[in-house]
RNA sequence: GGGCCCGUGGUCUAGUGGUUAUGACGUCGCCCUCACACGGCGAAGGUCCCCGGUUCGAAUCCGGGCGGGCCCA
């Protein structure tokens, strides 16, 4: 079909040999998934490698090491998006950015999962074997999560990855332990732990479930005669563990008992009656016995009043020799025996049934017990920690008060030992002969004291040691991340410490943030970071926390699969830092629509540039108007990004791109681009390039894939992510207040005429004969004419406008009942009136003769429809500020 | 029980002492105009939770109440 081809060529080329807006080689639809997958494969990992020797200013981010569960959840995604926005922005702003990635591997959930998968119990498994299984499981999980992270385009320096379960990392944890021990900041002491008597293991708070049940509240008389008091308890079996009796200080009933020593029944010792405002006077008799330990309230009182420790219960749930004749019984047996004995002595006065919430082991549903064991502690210097915390800049500021109120209310030191397997070993041995505590020397590390031996004998000469079986709390690993990523301790880049930024969620302010501050000041006496930025949690579409039971969980992979990573990232950007964010598909869909819009703009731009760049241009009003707006956009986007206000950033970019640039500027210059003179067109083409190039770079941190794809269309080679961020100073030259006002006016004129067509029920492309404008500012009539597709005349003088009554509309609901059959004649009479009479009727009323009768017509019965006439032609008039527009259809 | 945050058109959301309160989605009209129908143009829709106070003026500040959320106990 040679004819067809020739015909096409003739149409496509204009006199300059360029094809304006035709033969677009680019896909009409922006296929996010295809584009994104292409760039994931194309991008080189070393794009984001960090160099300590770089002369650029350094920006180091102490990123959170997630727990490798195997799925990178949406909360992680939100947090990492924020981090990546910052990292990419700072990189483009000329910083050498370190965006490391760590994995906080140790912990109970993995142990539980491994037990489940392999059908084993860690208490029976070989320690070493069990640990290996945990490592393997964790490695697989990390790999899965890495994949999602790469797909989301996080600009991580993977060469700096750290994994806390590997010796390279946990050696650092052990060194930190040794150093703090040597400074006297770590010690051993008794501390309550929660155990499941059936599993015979320590369990964490998180592993406790609560069960409602009924139990007896027993009223028991302690002591005799004067020195007696009646207490109520649900745990009579713990009487041999009683260390005090407490009453409320406000309770007048016991005023004379306070300070008194009272004998504990069935034992041979006495305890003191003390006061505490936590005692509920309404419960039981208002007097309670404090035991070590019946529940967590007991632990609190025990610490607060510095009471004696009397442990009568062992790990296996049996009473020990301290319980006297009850030794060897389990809790239930002891309870019966003790109640029996109390009854015999006449001390059991009353029993009543009460409801009770019992903590049970999540696995076997056995009620848990609290016992005390020797644990390792980190000393907490609250004052120093608070001072340090206040030196860090908190974003948002109010998050600091969460830490403050937490620290101020802390009741005891940080217990760092755990009775588990998969964790960093505590590098300590105990001499079997003299009991000496031998802490590893730094150069022996890493060690596992359950396998390794100290490299020198004990002070007493013995070489027989018992290795510490307890391991460290996971927070001991993760609370040194800022130190670890800066090479501490042997290759420490202290010039980059404190690091620039810690991004994290508000759920772990009291743990991760607090412990990191504590450890940093303990180890190197410096704050860990200059700034901490707190992100919110992700809530489900129903506004509630995502949870399996509510069925409102959304996985990032699902979002990526449906709308792509950039859409997901835009959703993340719509959140306000520090606030919880609701996940909504609507937002993701809106984001992907914006991508399509952005792509269409780029496609349009490309079709008018075809790789050419216009260097010099004779800019017209509209061009200067949009460039001035662009300059202001650049300025505010920089400000928003500096404040980590990604929501404002994205909103500003979106509304400029969509509502200023695409809807208005492009519509105004289209005519110039398609059928203008070369210089007219080039001015627009210059703007087209400048705006596209700027917008691509502005949005690059948020939507890296879209930006890269568009960059390759507009700029060809290289990567937008290695380019520079638009700086406000570079754009200052475009700021032009006068052009902005004129541009706005032109926009208003075009919009006004469009609205007029709409009101008249005309199609928007309906022809307009003539538009006459009496402008208050300079306008570009060529562009206005082009945009309106009409002839435009700019008037230098305000023409005479005659207002005529076109029609008079009577209010029939008044006239009808009043004049009945005469109404028709009244209408006829009005129609016959002269212009002058009609005006009189509308303004002050008029008397008319109908059928020989004089009738007075009142003005409020009528409405006038007027029309305006200029030079004898009927026109529509628009008033835009001081500007008057006459439109002739 | 403690700490913190929040309460703005149907839904979600921005905002902050001062003229007609932002945007998105949804709804309702009109339009397949040569970048985009995942589009364009236009419209309707709000006691800015309630009550008091400060102020010339409060959605915005203060106090109280009600409701929701998160973290911790």
């Amino acid at each position: 079909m040679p004819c067809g081809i020739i015909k096409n060529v003739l149409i496509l080329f204009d006199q300059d040999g360029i094809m304006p807006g035709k033969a677009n080689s680019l896909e009409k639809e922006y296929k996010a998934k295809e584009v994104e997958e292409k760039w994931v494969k194309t991008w080189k990992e070393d794009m984001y490698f960090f160099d300590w020797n770089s002369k650029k200013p350094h920006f180091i981010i102490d990123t959170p090491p997630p727990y490798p569960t195997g799925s990178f959840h949406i909360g992680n995604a939100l947090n990492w998006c924020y981090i990546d926005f910052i990292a990419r922005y700072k990189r483009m702003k000329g910083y050498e950015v370190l965006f490391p990635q760590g994995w906080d591997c140790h912990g109970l959930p993995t142990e539980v999962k491994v037990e489940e998968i392999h059908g084993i119990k860690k208490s029976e498994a070989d320690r070493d074997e069990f640990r290996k299984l945990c490592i393997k499981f964790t490695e697989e999980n990390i790999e899965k999560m890495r994949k999602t992270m790469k797909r989301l385009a996080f600009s991580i320096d993977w060469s700096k990855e750290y994994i806390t379960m590997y010796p390279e990392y946990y050696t650092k944890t052990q060194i930190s332990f040794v150093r703090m021990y040597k400074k006297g900041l770590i010690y051993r002491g008794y501390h309550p732990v929660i155990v499941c008597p059936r599993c015979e293991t320590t369990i964490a708070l998180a592993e406790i479930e609560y069960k409602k049940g009924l139990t007896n509240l027993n009223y028991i008389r302690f002591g005799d005669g004067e020195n007696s008091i009646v207490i109520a308890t649900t745990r009579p079996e713990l009487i041999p563990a009683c260390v005090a009796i407490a009453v409320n200080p406000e309770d007048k009933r016991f005023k004379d008992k306070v300070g008194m020593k009272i004998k504990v029944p069935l034992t041979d010792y006495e305890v003191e009656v003390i006061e505490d405002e936590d005692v509920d006077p309404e419960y039981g008799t208002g007097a309670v016995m404090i035991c070590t330990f019946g529940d967590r309230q007991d632990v609190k009182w025990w610490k607060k009043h510095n009471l004696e420790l009397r442990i009568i219960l062992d790990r296996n749930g049996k009473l020990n020799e301290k319980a006297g004749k009850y030794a060897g019984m389990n809790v239930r047996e002891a309870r019966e025996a003790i109640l029996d004995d109390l009854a015999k002595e006449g001390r059991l006065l009353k029993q009543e049934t009460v409801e009770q919430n019992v903590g049970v082991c999540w696995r076997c549903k056995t009620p848990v017990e609290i016992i005390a064991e020797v644990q390792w502690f980190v000393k907490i210097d609250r004052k120093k920690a608070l001072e340090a915390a206040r030196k860090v800049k908190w974003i948002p500021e109010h998050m600091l008060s969460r830490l403050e109120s937490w620290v101020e209310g802390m009741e005891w030191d940080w217990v760092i030992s755990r009775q588990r397997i998969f964790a960093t070993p505590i590098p300590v041995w105990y001499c079997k002969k003299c009991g000496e505590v031998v802490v590893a020397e730094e150069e022996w590390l890493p060690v596992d004291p359950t396998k390794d031996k100290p490299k020198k004998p004990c002070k007493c000469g013995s070489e027989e040691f018992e290795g510490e079986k307890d391991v460290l709390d996971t927070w001991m690993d993760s609370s040194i991340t800022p130190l670890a990523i800066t090479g501490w301790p042997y290759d420490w880049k202290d010039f980059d410490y404190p690091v620039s930024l810690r991004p994290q969620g508000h759920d772990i302010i009291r743990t991760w943030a607090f412990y990191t501050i504590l450890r940093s000041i303990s180890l190197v006496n410096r704050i860990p970071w200059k700034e901490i930025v707190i992100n919110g949690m992700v809530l489900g579409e129903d506004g509630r926390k995502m949870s399996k039971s509510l069925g409102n969980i959304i996985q990032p992979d699902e979002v990526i699969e449906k709308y792509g990573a950039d859409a997901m990232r835009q959703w993340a950007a719509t959140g306000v830092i520090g606030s919880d964010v609701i996940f909504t598909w609507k937002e993701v869909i809106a984001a992907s629509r914006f991508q399509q819009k952005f792509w269409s703009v780029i496609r349009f731009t490309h079709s008018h540039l075809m790789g050419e760049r216009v260097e010099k241009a004779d800019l017209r009003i509209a061009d200067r108007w949009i460039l001035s707006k662009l300059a202001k956009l650049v300025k505010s986007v920089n400000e928003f990004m500096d404040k980590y206000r990604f929501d404002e950033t994205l909103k500003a970019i979106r509304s400029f791109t969509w509502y200023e640039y695409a809807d208005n500027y492009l519509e105004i210059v289209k005519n110039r681009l398609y059928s203008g003179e070369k210089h007219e067109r080039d001015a627009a083409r210059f703007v087209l390039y400048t705006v596209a190039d700027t917008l691509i770079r502005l949005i690059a941190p948020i939507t890296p894939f879209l930006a890269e794809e568009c960059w390759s269309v507009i700029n060809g080679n290289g990567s937008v992510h290695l380019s520079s961020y638009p700086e406000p100073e570079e754009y200052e030259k475009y700021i032009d207040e006068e052009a902005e006002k004129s541009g706005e006016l032109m926009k208003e004129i075009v919009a006004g005429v469009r609205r007029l067509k709409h009101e008249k029920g005309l199609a928007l492309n309906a022809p307009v004969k003539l538009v006459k404008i009496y402008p208050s500012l300079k306008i570009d009539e060529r562009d206005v004419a082009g945009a309106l597709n009409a002839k435009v005349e700019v008037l230098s003088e305000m023409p005479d406008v005659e207002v005529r009554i076109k029609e008079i509309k009577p209010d029939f609901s008044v006239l009808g009942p009043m004049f009945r059959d005469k109404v028709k004649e009244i209408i006829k009479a009005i129609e016959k009136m002269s212009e002058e009479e009609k005006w009189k009727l509308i303004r002050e009323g008029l008397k008319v003769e109908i059928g020989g009768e004089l009738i007075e017509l009142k003005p409020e019965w009528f409405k006038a429809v007027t029309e305006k006439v200029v030079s004898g032609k009927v026109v529509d008039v628009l008033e835009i500020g001081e500007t008057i527009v006459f439109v002739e259809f």
Side-chain angles (χ1 to χ4, degrees):
Chain A
M1 300 193 291
C3 289
I5 293 168
I6 289 164
K7 200 177 164 198
N8 273 341
V9 169
L10 288 173
I11 291 166
L12 295 179
F13 285 82
D14 74 351
Q15 67 270 27
D16 298 318
I18 294 164
M19 305 173 278
K22 295 274 177 182
N24 209 318
S25 56
L26 303 176
E27 289 260 15
K28 184 171 171 179
E29 193 185 333
Y30 180 70
K31 292 183 176 125
K33 267 181 66 192
E34 283 174 26
V35 169
E36 292 178 1
E37 272 155 24
K38 176 182 82 187
W39 288 111
V40 166
K41 279 191 211 129
T42 315
W43 280 332
K44 299 265 189 322
E45 264 191 6
D46 63 9
M47 276 169 84
Y48 311 119
F49 279 8
F50 174 83
D51 177 8
W52 288 107
N53 299 319
S54 167
K55 294 275 191 297
K56 293 180 190 171
H58 293 184
F59 192 88
I60 297 170
I61 308 173
D62 178 25
T63 50
Y67 193 73
T69 56
S71 77
F72 191 77
H73 64 75
I74 203 148
N76 294 136
L78 178 74
N79 197 179
W80 263 256
C81 283
Y82 287 162
I83 300 168
D84 197 50
F85 300 155
I86 298 168
R88 288 182 182 279
Y89 172 65
K90 292 286 177 186
R91 211 175 278 122
M92 289 177 77
K93 289 285 275 188
Y95 287 86
E96 184 73 8
V97 173
L98 173 57
F99 183 169
Q101 183 55 52
W103 301 95
D104 186 17
C105 310
H106 294 134
L108 185 80
T110 297
E111 290 186 347
V112 172
K113 205 81 195 163
V114 166
E115 284 183 312
E116 224 175 85
I117 293 170
H118 299 279
I120 52 173
K121 271 184 88 174
K122 66 181 163 192
S123 50
E124 290 155 14
D126 176 76
R127 262 179 107 88
D128 228 28
E129 276 304 307
F130 188 78
R131 194 174 290 174
K132 274 183 190 151
L133 291 174
C134 289
I135 290 174
K136 191 169 163 271
F137 174 73
T138 304
E139 281 171 343
E140 288 163 7
N141 282 344
I142 289 177
E143 188 43 38
K144 282 184 213 157
M145 293 171 79
R146 269 193 207 117
K147 230 182 128 193
T148 306
M149 295 167 90
K150 287 179 181 171
R151 182 63 184 76
L152 278 164
F154 299 140
S155 58
I156 292 163
D157 177 353
W158 289 101
S159 73
K160 306 269 192 307
E161 190 180 30
Y162 62 89
I163 297 176
T164 61
M165 66 181 176
Y166 289 162
E168 300 85 69
Y169 190 95
Y170 77 68
T171 302
K172 296 186 182 199
T173 308
Q174 291 190 328
I175 291 171
S176 74
F177 177 93
V178 171
R179 289 197 181 175
M180 284 178 69
Y181 180 82
K182 285 194 175 149
K183 287 185 180 185
L185 297 170
I186 288 181
Y187 66 93
R188 290 174 90 206
Y190 273 95
H191 191 78
V193 290
I194 302 162
V195 293
C196 168
R198 199 206 62 89
C199 306
E200 290 187 35
T201 175
T202 320
I203 67 171
L205 267 170
E207 296 169 284
I208 300 175
E209 280 178 11
Y210 292 91
K211 233 170 57 179
K212 273 208 174 121
L214 294 177
T215 188
N216 278 331
L217 181 63
N218 307 282
Y219 288 71
I220 297 163
R221 182 165 49 84
F222 275 41
D224 296 290
E226 279 289 294
N227 282 15
S228 78
I229 194 165
V230 179
I231 62 106
T233 180
T234 57
R235 308 272 330 248
E237 68 276 15
L238 290 177
I239 285 177
C242 176
V243 291
I245 291 164
V247 296
N248 192 296
E250 305 287 307
D251 199 332
K252 292 184 197 91
R253 293 173 293 178
F254 301 112
K255 266 279 171 269
D256 54 328
K257 305 275 182 189
V258 175
M260 196 179 267
K261 299 268 187 190
I262 290 177
K263 188 165 170 293
V264 178
L266 314 174
T267 70
D268 52 9
Y269 66 93
E270 294 178 331
V271 293
E272 197 181 328
V273 178
I274 60 169
E275 295 177 303
D276 193 290
E277 57 272 13
D278 279 354
V279 178
D280 179 5
E282 308 287 309
Y283 188 79
T285 62
V288 297
M289 65 169 187
I290 300 175
C291 305
T292 52
F293 300 100
D295 57 22
R296 277 156 58 205
Q297 182 59 51
D298 280 344
V299 176
K300 228 174 129 180
W301 281 327
W302 173 68
K303 282 274 179 187
K304 187 172 165 191
H305 298 286
N306 208 9
L307 300 167
E308 172 195 359
L309 186 64
R310 186 181 290 270
I311 293 295
I312 60 160
L313 207 64
D314 282 344
R315 237 165 206 263
N316 56 15
K318 295 216 162 90
L319 275 67
N320 60 27
E321 66 285 353
K322 278 194 184 151
K325 64 182 265 209
Y326 309 104
M329 294 183 185
N330 69 27
V331 171
R332 202 187 307 154
E333 291 161 354
R335 180 177 305 183
E336 278 166 26
I338 285 176
L339 284 173
D340 264 2
D341 291 348
L342 288 169
K344 277 178 207 154
E345 288 190 19
R347 293 181 179 278
L348 181 57
L349 307 179
K350 189 169 90 173
Q351 286 189 308
E352 57 189 35
T353 308
V354 289
E355 260 192 25
Q356 192 191 28
N357 237 349
V358 193
V360 298
C361 172
W362 68 287
R363 228 172 321 177
C364 65
K365 316 298 175 199
T366 309
V368 296
E369 293 293 345
I370 301 174
I371 63 169
E373 288 187 344
V374 175
Q375 303 288 335
W376 286 92
F377 290 85
V378 163
K379 267 190 198 161
I380 291 175
D381 184 335
R382 297 193 293 177
K383 221 180 119 202
K384 259 180 105 174
L386 278 175
E387 262 169 37
R390 289 182 184 126
K391 279 187 203 147
V392 177
K393 183 182 176 197
W394 290 72
I395 301 168
E397 230 172 308
H398 71 257
M399 290 297 177
L400 171 61
S401 62
R402 286 205 184 186
L403 186 100
E404 287 177 330
S405 57
W406 169 246
V407 174
E408 278 158 10
M410 287 189 86
E411 279 163 11
W412 53 71
D413 288 338
W414 173 18
V415 187
I416 53 167
S417 46
R418 293 289 183 275
Q419 294 69 47
R420 296 206 197 111
I421 295 174
F422 185 47
T424 298
I426 297 177
V428 167
W429 297 265
Y430 307 101
C431 174
K432 278 187 179 167
K433 201 173 150 203
C434 69
E436 175 78 7
V437 176
V438 177
V439 173
E441 301 287 326
E442 248 181 72
E443 39 304 350
W444 302 351
L445 303 174
V447 295
D448 179 351
T450 62
K451 288 193 299 184
D452 306 319
K453 290 279 160 223
K455 295 237 162 65
K456 62 180 191 196
C458 177
K459 271 192 257 175
C460 73
S462 168
E463 292 190 30
E464 293 285 298
F465 296 97
E466 178 78 38
E468 172 64 88
K469 280 201 192 66
D470 280 7
V471 292
L472 289 171
D473 179 7
T474 313
W475 295 114
M476 279 293 278
D477 295 329
S478 59
S479 55
I480 56 166
T481 53
L483 287 164
I485 60 170
T486 49
W488 183 89
Y490 301 132
D491 184 22
W492 193 34
K493 314 289 193 298
D494 65 334
F495 53 86
D496 270 327
Y497 205 86
V499 302
S500 315
L501 181 70
R502 152 66 67 90
Q504 65 159 77
H506 62 60
D507 52 336
I508 49 176
I509 289 175
R510 286 142 179 212
T511 47
W512 195 38
F514 173 64
Y515 292 142
T516 307
I517 291 171
L518 183 72
R519 300 261 275 146
S520 186
I521 52 173
S522 300
L523 289 164
V524 298
N525 201 26
R526 290 203 217 170
I527 57 168
W529 349 269
K530 294 174 195 149
E531 227 173 57
I532 179 166
V533 49
I534 304 293
N535 67 276
M537 301 289 106
V538 178
L539 309 177
E541 291 216 79
D542 52 2
R544 316 194 56 146
K545 201 182 168 187
M546 283 193 187
S547 78
K548 269 184 204 156
S549 57
L550 289 169
N552 58 355
I553 293 184
I554 301 286
Q555 291 291 343
D557 291 330
E558 190 187 343
V559 183
I560 296 168
E561 179 59 29
K562 287 184 177 147
Y563 297 96
D566 278 342
M568 162 112 208
R569 293 173 62 109
Q570 284 189 65
W571 159 75
T574 59
V576 177
I577 216 104
S579 311
D580 291 346
V581 189
I582 295 180
F583 177 85
T584 59
W585 285 106
K586 274 192 275 183
E587 199 57 61
V588 176
I589 293 165
S592 78
R593 278 196 203 144
F594 173 65
Q595 285 170 201
Q596 177 61 50
K597 189 75 191 182
F598 199 97
W599 177 244
S600 302
V601 168
I602 294 302
R603 229 177 129 241
F604 180 79
T605 303
H606 177 67
S607 73
H608 288 283
L609 294 177
M610 295 306 278
E612 253 190 35
R613 275 234 215 148
V614 181
E615 298 295 341
K616 252 173 53 189
D618 183 10
L619 298 176
R620 304 176 71 94
I621 290 173
D623 306 325
R624 285 187 275 123
W625 159 62
I626 204 69
L627 288 176
S628 183
K629 289 229 154 192
L630 180 72
K632 288 182 180 174
L633 174 74
V634 168
K635 186 161 179 281
S636 48
V637 164
N638 270 273
E639 286 165 4
F640 293 143
M641 287 302 285
D642 284 336
K643 285 191 287 185
Y644 308 128
R645 287 301 300 263
F646 315 115
D647 57 327
E648 297 282 8
T649 298
L650 186 59
K651 214 200 275 178
I653 295 173
R654 278 188 189 174
S655 67
F656 173 86
T657 306
W658 210 316
Y659 305 114
E660 300 285 349
Y661 186 60
D663 286 350
N664 291 299
Y665 177 78
L666 292 185
E667 291 306 324
I668 286 173
V669 296
K670 254 182 192 171
N671 184 277
R672 237 202 282 158
L673 282 164
Y674 285 114
S675 50
E677 302 283 319
K678 186 172 188 309
H679 71 277
E680 293 172 341
R681 228 171 50 208
D682 277 354
R685 292 172 77 217
F686 174 82
V687 173
L688 249 41
Y689 176 80
T690 307
V691 172
D693 173 66
T694 307
L695 287 178
I696 290 166
R697 286 184 293 137
L698 283 178
I699 206 167
I702 294 174
T703 57
F705 293 110
L706 175 73
E708 192 74 312
E709 182 71 6
C710 295
W711 174 275
S712 76
V713 169
I714 297 297
N715 282 327
N717 296 328
S719 169
V720 64
H721 304 297
L722 301 175
S723 70
S724 62
Y725 210 68
E727 294 289 343
E729 300 79 56
E730 296 166 34
Y731 286 80
E732 247 166 40
K733 60 181 182 235
Y734 290 130
I735 290 182
D736 184 339
E737 301 294 347
E738 211 178 308
E740 270 194 53
K741 281 184 194 138
S742 293
E744 289 301 313
L745 178 59
M746 288 164 63
K747 184 179 104 180
E748 291 294 325
I749 292 169
V750 173
V753 173
R754 270 198 303 236
R755 210 174 301 123
L756 199 61
K757 285 184 182 176
H758 191 265
E759 277 163 18
K760 291 180 162 292
L762 295 166
L764 289 176
N765 56 352
V768 179
K769 255 191 224 148
L770 182 65
V771 177
K772 289 187 187 176
I773 305 169
Y774 176 62
S776 55
L777 298 163
K778 208 178 147 198
I779 58 162
D780 184 342
E781 58 180 292
R782 193 241 174 274
D783 276 352
V784 175
L788 290 175
N789 194 20
K791 210 180 146 205
V792 169
E793 264 177 41
V794 172
L795 308 171
S796 53
E797 269 173 46
M798 182 64 187
D800 290 331
V801 183
E802 188 191 334
V803 181
R804 272 195 214 152
I805 291 177
K806 191 181 170 194
E807 194 190 345
I808 288 185
K809 285 189 170 172
D811 185 346
F812 289 104
S813 68
V814 178
L815 293 181
M818 205 177 281
F819 299 107
R820 307 268 165 190
D821 53 336
K822 287 185 189 138
V823 172
K824 269 188 186 169
E825 288 183 61
I826 294 173
I827 304 300
K828 270 187 192 161
I830 291 171
E831 275 167 8
K832 278 188 204 143
M833 284 179 189
S834 67
E835 182 79 12
E836 215 172 310
E837 285 171 317
K838 281 180 183 166
W839 279 113
K840 191 158 187 257
L841 171 67
I842 291 303
R843 288 186 178 135
E844 54 209 62
L846 195 68
K847 284 181 181 155
V848 289
E849 202 190 308
I850 303 292
E853 201 184 327
L854 209 57
I855 293 175
E856 189 180 347
L857 300 175
K858 294 196 170 159
E860 57 264 30
W861 301 344
F862 303 92
K863 260 191 191 159
V865 178
T866 59
E867 61 186 14
K868 284 145 191 142
V869 179
V870 174
S871 332
K873 295 214 168 94
V874 175
V875 294
D876 285 279
V877 180
L878 290 170
E879 282 179 53
I880 300 157
E882 309 291 297
T883 298
I884 316 289
V885 181
F886 306 97
V887 186
E888 197 181 310
F889 288 96

